[in-house]
Amino acid sequence: MQDDAETRLTEAVIARLSDKTDPRFRRIMHSLIRHLHGFVREVELTEEEWFEAIKFLTATGQKCDAKRQEFILLSDVLGVSMLVDAINHRGADGSTETTVLGPFFVHGAPEIENGGDMAAGWKGEPTYVSGQVRSTEGRPLAGALLDLWQSNSEGWYDVQLADTGGKRLRARLRTDADGCYRVRTILPTAYPVPTDGPMGQVLHRMGRHPMRPAHLHFMVSAPGHETVVTHLFVRGDPYLQSDAVFGVKDSLVVDFRRSESEDEAQKLGLKAPFYSAAYDFVLRPATGAKQRSARSAADTAPG
Ligand SMILES: [Fe+2]
């Protein structure tokens, strides 16, 4: 049974918020304190559990470094990242749906020419992805920037591997005069989110698997438009219904068609057999603030 002292404590903490603070910050802190106290009361947190939580958050922070972002992973596996995504991209206007940034974005991927090979000799099944970038009004966006990143055929990102010789399986390229892009790579594969840290233990205790369905990451931007942070998922992947980070949306599940035609492969600069996928990205016009917020989300990722 909740007593008056408990209620008064919550009110006292909220009352200490200064009237002079930024109104948005004040609103967030007011709600955070109210919900956090409500949560502690609801589960009647024991002192041991409170200390376990402190140790868990400490370990989460200690696991982060220039290449590892355990807090983004925490947000992802609890579905918070996708909730923030949903709230910030409401309204069906025909623009490409967004999904999690994930913990493996890195600034400054190598620039390649449109049609170039982002796998650069990395072992895997040859894959060709192409399409157009346009605005919601249907105008092709020439010179739009695509930032791509993916795991290798064994499910590892370059930042998880030693001695990759720099940034691998990442690229930036620009659309041509018709807003079209083409890229050669290897077929992405399903992989587990990192389980060697606190998040692995939490997933295990919740009885959840750590797998993400195969996907290619895209960040697509063009002046005057909202940046789209999204994935293309490989249709048929066994984990599409149970993505560890809840990132799958139907519109982002794409056919990666297998072909054994040597002629077709040669025309695309690949070897048969190969896979190909086609996907058009549609960007909505942006206010300056919206465009900046998508970029600053990326800025929190390790770089
Ligand atoms: Fe990923």
Side-chain angles (χ1 to χ4, degrees):
M1 191 75 172
Q2 182 182 331
D3 68 24
D4 285 353
E6 292 172 17
T7 307
R8 281 200 305 277
L9 180 62
T10 304
E11 287 166 359
V13 178
I14 289 170
R16 296 272 181 99
L17 277 168
S18 167
D19 288 341
K20 297 185 182 72
T21 55
D22 170 73
R24 176 66 180 163
F25 177 74
R26 189 179 154 80
R27 183 180 173 196
I28 289 170
M29 288 309 293
H30 186 288
S31 183
L32 175 68
I33 294 161
R34 195 161 46 81
H35 283 279
L36 198 55
H37 282 222
F39 160 71
V40 170
R41 271 194 290 269
E42 183 182 311
V43 301
E44 300 198 315
L45 204 67
T46 67
E47 286 168 320
E48 290 76 16
E49 288 163 343
W50 174 85
F51 192 59
E52 276 303 307
I54 297 295
K55 284 202 294 187
F56 167 74
L57 290 171
T58 304
T60 301
Q62 287 170 339
K63 198 70 188 170
C64 296
D65 60 26
K67 292 182 172 178
R68 177 81 179 253
Q69 232 309 347
E70 197 77 356
F71 273 110
I72 289 185
L73 195 53
L74 171 61
S75 169
D76 289 353
V77 302
L78 294 182
V80 175
S81 304
M82 283 308 292
L83 186 56
V84 172
D85 173 80
I87 288 164
N88 282 271
H89 301 278
R90 285 177 178 144
D93 58 2
S95 60
T96 298
E97 288 196 287
T98 50
T99 187
V100 290
L101 175 72
F104 298 120
F105 175 76
V106 171
H107 286 281
E111 286 192 38
I112 62 170
E113 61 182 21
N114 198 355
D117 182 4
M118 72 180 263
W122 202 284
K123 259 191 348 204
E125 300 186 87
T127 298
Y128 186 82
V129 184
S130 62
Q132 188 186 46
V133 180
R134 56 178 179 270
S135 69
T136 44
E137 304 101 56
R139 188 164 47 88
L141 296 173
L145 179 65
L146 291 95
D147 214 317
L148 292 89
W149 66 107
Q150 69 170 97
S151 63
N152 68 12
S153 57
E154 289 168 352
W156 299 101
Y157 284 80
D158 57 356
V159 291
Q160 298 175 284
L161 300 168
D163 305 326
T164 56
K167 298 181 175 96
R168 305 294 300 272
L169 289 168
R170 303 174 183 276
R172 282 182 296 162
L173 59 101
R174 289 191 183 272
T175 55
D176 64 18
D178 298 318
C180 293
Y181 74 93
R182 299 166 288 282
V183 65
R184 286 174 287 151
T185 186
I186 54 173
L187 193 67
T189 187
Y191 66 83
V193 296
T195 55
D196 60 341
M199 242 28 66
Q201 292 167 24
V202 167
L203 282 171
H204 181 70
R205 284 196 69 177
M206 289 194 291
R208 282 172 48 182
H209 73 69
M211 297 302 292
R212 297 216 61 209
H215 58 271
L216 271 172
H217 289 263
F218 283 84
M219 184 183 301
V220 186
S221 55
H225 294 77
E226 268 184 41
T227 297
V228 166
V229 175
T230 197
H231 304 358
L232 298 185
F233 293 94
V234 179
R235 195 182 307 285
D237 189 285
Y239 297 105
L240 285 171
Q241 304 303 322
S242 63
D243 182 3
V245 308
F246 307 94
V248 180
K249 295 178 179 176
D250 288 347
S251 67
L252 303 176
V253 180
V254 177
D255 288 318
F256 281 70
R257 189 176 64 88
R258 190 171 191 274
S259 169
E260 296 190 353
S261 163
E262 288 289 355
D263 283 355
E264 246 189 285
Q266 229 171 26
K267 277 184 214 153
L268 301 175
L270 300 170
K271 286 196 173 120
F274 72 99
Y275 290 82
S276 63
Y279 195 84
D280 294 346
F281 294 95
V282 181
L283 275 53
R284 62 171 77 158
T287 63
K290 271 279 189 182
Q291 215 174 10
R292 278 196 302 279
S293 71
R295 265 288 157 192
S296 61
D299 289 343
T300 64

